[in-house]
Amino acid sequence: MKSKNVFLDYQEIRTILNDSPDLMCRKMELGRQTIQIVFMKNLINQEVLNEYVIKYMQTIPEKHLNYTYLVNNIPIEEIKTENEKNEFISSLLKGFSYIYFFTSVA
C-alpha cells in the first residue's frame, strides 16, 4: 500500500508508463471520501487487494478513512511511504498499490 505523500494524477501515471494496459485505477465512494486505488493488475494479488484492502476499507467507520488510521491498522504485511515520483513508479512496478484520498466538499 502506498501513502498519500506523493500525488500523481492517474493520467500522469498512464503517460509515465506508456499507457500500460496493466495499469488500473479503481475509484470508491465511501461516505464523503473518494478513494482512488492505482495498481498494476498483473503484478498484484487481486484477492489480497479485494479482501484485505477494499473490503476492510468498506467496513471501517468513516472517521477512520484516513492515511494515519490505515497505516496503523490495515491488515497488510508491508506498507511503504514514497516521497519521490520515481520511487513511487518503481514501487508500482514491483506490485504495490497506491491509495489516495480525495476529500469531498459538501
Side-chain angles (χ1 to χ4, degrees):
M1 181 174 82
K2 295 278 142 250
S3 80
K4 65 180 184 176
N5 289 351
V6 175
F7 177 71
L8 295 174
D9 180 84
Y10 179 64
Q11 293 301 327
E12 185 177 1
I13 297 166
R14 284 183 63 192
T15 299
I16 292 168
L17 296 176
N18 296 316
D19 290 322
S20 171
D22 292 334
L23 183 65
M24 304 296 292
C25 180
R26 193 160 172 188
K27 280 190 176 181
M28 300 180 352
E29 301 287 334
L30 299 172
R32 293 183 307 257
Q33 292 275 350
T34 299
I35 298 168
Q36 184 181 71
I37 302 173
V38 179
F39 57 94
M40 301 297 285
K41 70 180 177 185
N42 290 325
L43 297 177
I44 67 158
N45 181 328
Q46 290 194 30
E47 183 178 334
V48 170
L49 179 66
N50 289 328
E51 292 295 319
Y52 295 102
V53 177
I54 294 172
K55 280 188 179 178
Y56 178 78
M57 288 173 39
Q58 291 172 331
T59 61
I60 62 175
E62 185 178 345
K63 67 181 179 179
H64 295 308
L65 287 173
N66 61 65
Y67 170 76
T68 303
Y69 184 85
L70 287 178
V71 164
N72 292 313
N73 295 286
I74 200 162
I76 298 244
E77 188 173 311
E78 186 175 0
I79 297 173
K80 295 176 79 175
T81 300
E82 303 296 4
N83 293 314
E84 300 292 328
K85 186 186 299 188
N86 59 344
E87 292 173 353
F88 167 77
I89 295 298
S90 175
S91 290
L92 268 180
L93 293 173
K94 290 176 183 172
F96 283 86
S97 59
Y98 169 61
I99 299 174
Y100 187 79
F101 295 89
F102 297 91
T103 304
S104 299
V105 179

